[in-house]
Amino acid sequence: MNALISSYDAILSDLDGVVYAGPDPIDGAVESLNKASETGVAVAYVTNNASRSVQTVADHLSSLGLSVDADHVVSAAQSAARLAADQLGAGAPVAICGSQALAECAREVGLRVVGFDESPRAVLQGFDPGLGWQDLAEASYTLANPSIRWIVSNTDLTIPKERGIAPGNGTLVNAVAAATGRAPEIAGKPGAAIFRTIMARLGVSDPVVVGDRLDTDILGANNAQLPSIAVMTGVQTWADIVNARTDERPTYVVGNLRELFDPYDQPRLDEVDGQVTAVIPDLVTATVQEDRVRIDAHESATETLIGRTAAAAWWAAHPETEEATSARMIRG
């Protein structure tokens, strides 16, 4: 059997929770992504983190041992700036609620960065760990005017760091939303534009999106009609995977990036006496029983194979759901 990655000409990879957590690389990520590049698969990085420039991101990745340059990084800050420029035109004044990197992206596409008291036509908001209450308040005061556009880089509620899971840009966006009663335009994932931008830049036609978050990476891939790989090194649990709503279900699920070079064991689906069953022969059987998934696994079966089989069974039994479900996984 061929390696999972052999069907694709590019990897469009998330960063936080896939390549690193905080400053530290995730086990197996660097060697696997470099190996993909060496075998002719283009590797690009698609990040919702708007606090750093793409050159800074590329430099960080290089310091971890990855072979990468700034042309192979696209950020939600770039996407937000481009969206504002497309809507408002060159020279339009915009206020920044975020990092200097977001301001530089705005200038690079011809926007004019101004203060909140200088009649901006849009507020661009992106993650900045130094953002404070006063910044959020100024954005809220400005956005009380409904004619001023509000474009945010992303709405990730959490971000994985070296000490654990921390609040992400979505929590800051929600603070402004609570104060203004408004909903923003989202430029990064889960929108499709950020993926199309990097595909056009690289000239690839058959990429696969790799990410750890269902609500951004995987939903974004589905919105862009691209295949996706969920990797279990970030914020999601196996319960999240099994219970994912239809729009957030990945094409594949792996435990870590080393598995990109393994054959993919796809569970076989069946229905016996009205019960949906998924099977990886001799290793795992998962059977849907009302609100439960009963799992019978050989002692050599990995958590990845068990979780993948449970998800396959539950998704087959619930092919269309707009909300996350609440299946219970029971070991036999």
Side-chain angles (χ1 to χ4, degrees):
M1 295 177 64
N2 294 327
L4 171 58
I5 198 58
S6 64
S7 299
Y8 303 102
D9 64 358
I11 292 170
L12 308 183
S13 177
D14 182 46
L15 292 177
D16 293 303
V18 177
V19 178
Y20 52 68
D24 301 318
I26 288 171
D27 182 46
V30 171
E31 63 187 76
S32 299
L33 293 167
N34 280 341
K35 182 177 179 180
S37 295
E38 292 163 2
T39 57
V41 177
V43 179
Y45 300 92
V46 184
T47 177
N48 266 358
N49 190 332
S51 65
R52 302 188 295 172
S53 70
V54 292
Q55 185 60 60
T56 300
V57 172
D59 290 343
H60 177 205
L61 295 176
S62 295
S63 74
L64 299 178
L66 285 161
S67 300
V68 61
D69 57 34
D71 287 339
H72 286 72
V73 180
V74 62
S75 75
Q78 289 178 318
S79 186
R82 172 50 58 192
L83 180 59
D86 289 346
Q87 292 179 351
L88 302 175
V94 297
I96 304 297
C97 182
S99 67
Q100 186 60 36
L102 179 56
E104 287 303 317
C105 287
R107 295 187 181 100
E108 287 171 2
V109 297
L111 296 168
R112 183 162 55 91
V113 176
V114 301
F116 287 102
D117 59 350
E118 297 179 88
S119 301
R121 293 179 59 196
V123 172
L124 307 189
Q125 183 174 355
F127 184 69
D128 181 353
L131 210 63
W133 179 90
Q134 189 64 50
D135 302 293
L136 300 176
E138 292 294 338
S140 299
Y141 302 149
T142 301
L143 290 168
N145 181 343
S147 69
I148 297 175
R149 291 184 177 276
W150 181 24
I151 299 173
V152 304
S153 60
N154 66 297
T155 54
D156 301 48
L157 290 175
T158 59
I159 183 171
K161 304 295 286 184
E162 62 274 19
R163 292 176 57 192
I165 303 300
N169 192 55
T171 60
L172 305 177
V173 170
N174 286 347
V176 177
T180 61
R182 293 183 57 174
E185 298 177 72
I186 304 170
K189 298 175 287 186
I194 195 168
F195 295 110
R196 293 173 182 148
T197 296
I198 194 65
M199 286 175 64
R201 188 188 300 173
L202 298 182
V204 298
S205 58
D206 295 303
V208 63
V209 175
V210 177
D212 68 310
R213 296 191 66 100
L214 300 180
D215 59 347
T216 54
D217 304 317
I218 306 307
L219 178 58
N222 289 335
N223 286 338
Q225 298 183 314
L226 296 173
S228 62
I229 300 172
V231 60
M232 301 301 294
T233 52
V235 300
Q236 309 289 182
T237 66
W238 280 110
D240 296 331
I241 297 292
V242 171
N243 287 298
R245 64 190 184 97
T246 304
D247 287 346
E248 295 181 359
R249 292 174 181 174
T251 314
Y252 310 100
V253 189
V254 299
N256 61 67
L257 291 186
R258 291 190 181 95
E259 294 174 34
L260 295 176
F261 301 95
D262 295 335
Y264 191 82
D265 287 314
Q266 182 67 53
R268 184 185 71 231
L269 293 171
D270 202 355
E271 185 170 336
V272 178
D273 297 329
Q275 293 182 324
V276 175
T277 298
V279 178
I280 296 179
D282 302 321
L283 289 174
V284 188
T285 298
T287 304
V288 176
Q289 301 172 331
E290 297 182 347
D291 64 343
R292 299 173 297 171
V293 182
R294 176 187 170 89
I295 299 165
D296 295 289
H298 189 271
E299 61 181 12
S300 64
T302 65
E303 286 300 311
T304 298
L305 294 181
I306 292 169
R308 185 186 298 166
T309 307
W314 187 255
W315 296 351
H318 302 82
E320 296 294 334
T321 174
E322 295 183 1
E323 302 293 334
T325 57
S326 55
R328 293 182 296 139
M329 286 174 281
I330 308 297
R331 294 291 183 98

